[in-house]
Amino acid sequence: MQDTQNPTVLNSFRHAAQAGEFLVTAEVAPPKGVNVTHMISMAATLKGRVHAVNITDGSRAVLRMSSLVASVILLQNGIEPICQVACRDRNRISLQADLMGSHALGIRNILALTGDPVKVGDHPNAKAVFDLESVRLLQLIRKLNQGVDYNEKPFTDGATDLFAGAAVDPQCASWSGLQKRFERKIEAGAQFFQSQMITDFERLEKFMDTVAVNYEKPILAGIFLLKSAKNAQFINRCVPGVNIPQHIIERLAKAKDPLEEGMKIAAEQVQIARQLCQGVHMMAVKREDLITPILNLAGVPAVNQVLAK
């Protein structure tokens, strides 16, 4: 049983972020059920290759195991998690309770999200909460770290020490909206940013040079493994704001081994991102075991694990 008085805390991600190192994170989904074997085995392939592993919180409003519980399971297996927390399903009381519990269990990295609307998921008739959204969730985390609750009433049993991040989409159609939202998240306390899937690296470069350059916060570019031309076309049809270029789709279509070609494309994108920002966030849905080979192709070195109390 984990010692809740002195929980294990893996601190590689925060340490590397604050030291200005090139950051590598990856995304793993919790199980849809109670068997965590596959989740653990996929995350285990990332040991020593990423600073931390994101655990999604009801991504696309699809039911899966609690991100907090799944994060604790990874931590117990020596894998540093970034626990995603979405506002869709919980009010401010529940959010605060979960965040305090996260700290007590050794979870320090939090990605603050608004959450996808329930209508796009597998329980479209569920009641959405959205008591807060991502900016106010970041503000809440900052208060908890200061030892007060949402109403600024002091804690009697200790403050949290959470390293909070947020999402950013440099490919957002509204440049002014993107800049305003990004700056609001900075002001609210975001310490790092993970982007949506990047397909337009010129747009990412513009964002880095005109917006992010004014703030010393790590930006991790989202790199997505495309498995085939059909996969890329599906994403273009179904994922808002993503436009995979036609030359990439044609390259996948002509390849003898589309999956291998997709890995090469992802590795090339990692190399581009290394020239533009402080990190990459790797996404390889159901093939997380291919992330390490992609990083090897891109020449990204291994990472060191940091323990802290």
Side-chain angles (χ1 to χ4, degrees), residues 252-280:
L252 289 164
K254 293 176 181 178
K256 291 183 179 179
D257 187 336
L259 181 58
E260 182 179 342
E261 195 67 23
M263 293 173 64
K264 291 178 182 177
I265 291 168
E268 292 165 9
Q269 292 177 337
V270 169
Q271 291 173 329
I272 295 170
R274 290 183 76 180
Q275 306 304 312
L276 301 177
C277 55
Q278 195 184 326
V280 288

Side-chain angles (χ1 to χ4, degrees), residues 80-244:
E80 180 172 353
I82 297 175
C83 183
Q84 295 188 4
V85 177
C87 298
R88 177 190 57 243
D89 307 319
R90 285 159 285 190
N91 66 16
R92 66 194 69 184
I93 299 173
S94 181
L95 286 166
Q96 290 176 96
D98 281 354
L99 290 165
M100 287 187 284
S102 297
H103 175 99
L105 291 168
I107 308 300
R108 295 291 188 267
N109 306 312
I110 302 292
L111 189 73
L113 302 170
T114 298
D116 299 311
V118 295
K119 289 184 179 180
V120 305
D122 59 356
H123 287 66
N125 294 321
K127 184 176 181 180
V129 181
F130 292 116
D131 186 21
L132 305 180
E133 44 70 52
S134 59
V135 173
R136 288 196 291 166
L137 178 55
L138 287 165
Q139 294 169 342
L140 169 61
I141 294 170
R142 184 169 59 189
K143 288 182 179 182
L144 300 183
N145 285 345
Q146 294 169 345
V148 298
D149 67 14
Y150 189 85
N151 297 320
E152 299 191 356
K153 294 182 179 179
F155 287 157
T156 57
D157 299 305
T160 61
D161 179 25
L162 301 173
F163 191 59
V168 65
D169 184 6
Q171 296 163 152
C172 178
S174 171
W175 191 258
S176 61
L178 165 64
Q179 182 169 350
K180 182 178 179 180
R181 186 91 175 146
F182 178 77
E183 291 174 348
R184 286 186 64 205
K185 289 180 178 181
I186 291 282
E187 292 170 1
Q191 298 300 307
F192 67 92
F193 288 85
Q194 292 175 325
S195 89
Q196 309 292 347
M197 172 186 179
I198 297 294
T199 56
D200 186 343
F201 286 86
E202 290 183 1
R203 182 81 172 182
L204 173 63
E205 183 174 15
K206 179 182 177 182
F207 171 75
M208 295 303 301
D209 290 344
T210 62
V211 179
V213 69
N214 299 313
Y215 306 92
E216 295 182 357
K217 300 298 180 184
I219 309 293
L220 284 74
I223 307 296
F224 190 93
L225 172 62
L226 298 168
K227 303 181 183 71
S228 66
K230 184 178 180 180
N231 178 217
Q233 291 165 341
F234 172 82
I235 291 171
N236 273 353
R237 287 196 310 271
C238 301
V239 180
V242 173
N243 182 25
I244 298 167

Side-chain angles (χ1 to χ4, degrees), residues 10 40 43-44 47 52-53 71 74-81 305:
L10 299 178
I40 294 172
K47 274 189 176 182
V53 173
S71 293
L74 288 197
L75 188 60
Q76 290 171 342
N77 283 272
I79 301 162
E80 180 172 353
Q305 188 178 77

